[in-house]
Amino acid sequence: MKVSIVGCGWLGLALGEKLSQEGFAVMGSTTSKEKFDSLSSAGINPFLLKMEPMPTGENFNALFQTDVLVINIPPGRKRNTPEFYGEQIKYLKYLVDQHKVPKVIFVSSTSYYPNTGDWVTENTNFDLENGSTKAVVLGEKEIRQVEAKLTVLRCGGLMGEDRIPGKWFAGKATSGASTPVNYIHRDDVINIILQLIKGDLSEEGTFNLVCPEHPTRKEVHEAMAHKYNFDQPIWEAPERIDSKKVSGKKLTDLGYSFLKPTPLDF
């Protein structure tokens, strides 16, 4: 089976390496030829593709001659407008339809949801006036018009390897000590995508990818500081910041068992 990954960054590169190890023929895109060697070393056939927002690059149409396409390009929040990201996804949708890709897995974000202060599920609507990220909303709107079978994965805060919760705030002032976190380990995201591709998780639709447990920022950050020997954060008011608790029950109800069910084990 052929699997293509548009966006071989921190998640996509590790995903492609795992898929290659599992025996899939993996193709992947990068925006820089300097990264070709790292993709090749991971068992990924590399292609140059930039979304500006129209696609540019070299021989990138080969990426869309595949059985499964994983789209993993987050919004460039600092550089580009939300509308630019929507256009990027629109042009990817055109390529998917043009090449009649049968199955698409779209990596999205739980920032789609508003800050309700309570639980949100896959059925919770966005609210741009209450914390939903406009770029994420526009990206999902575009990809949902694709003709392929579509699975949308709304990932919580991606952690693992060099991404350690709280390390950014070591010895620094931060707030929201009692705010619950919505984290997920990269290993679980990769494992979920692998099971979706293999058919072990066969349902289409939208899934929240977050740990079943939601400890507070204080609990997680201080546990990581102790575990990895960096300075504790300095907690300031307010103790609770605008947030939500994202439910991943839909995924666990399908039988998925998390490799790391709590951020305290990251």
Side-chain angles (χ1 to χ4, degrees), residues 5-17 28-31 35 38-39 44 72-74 163 186 190:
I5 303 169
V6 174
C8 289
W10 184 79
L11 170 61
L13 180 62
L15 171 64
E17 185 172 28
S29 80
T30 176
T31 60
K35 296 178 182 175
S38 61
L39 269 65
I44 303 168
N72 175 46
I73 54 168
R163 292 190 182 182
R186 184 175 68 177
I190 291 170

Side-chain angles (χ1 to χ4, degrees), residues 206-218:
T206 302
F207 296 95
N208 293 332
L209 271 56
V210 292
C211 288
E213 297 186 20
H214 301 261
T216 65
R217 295 184 79 228
K218 188 176 195 297

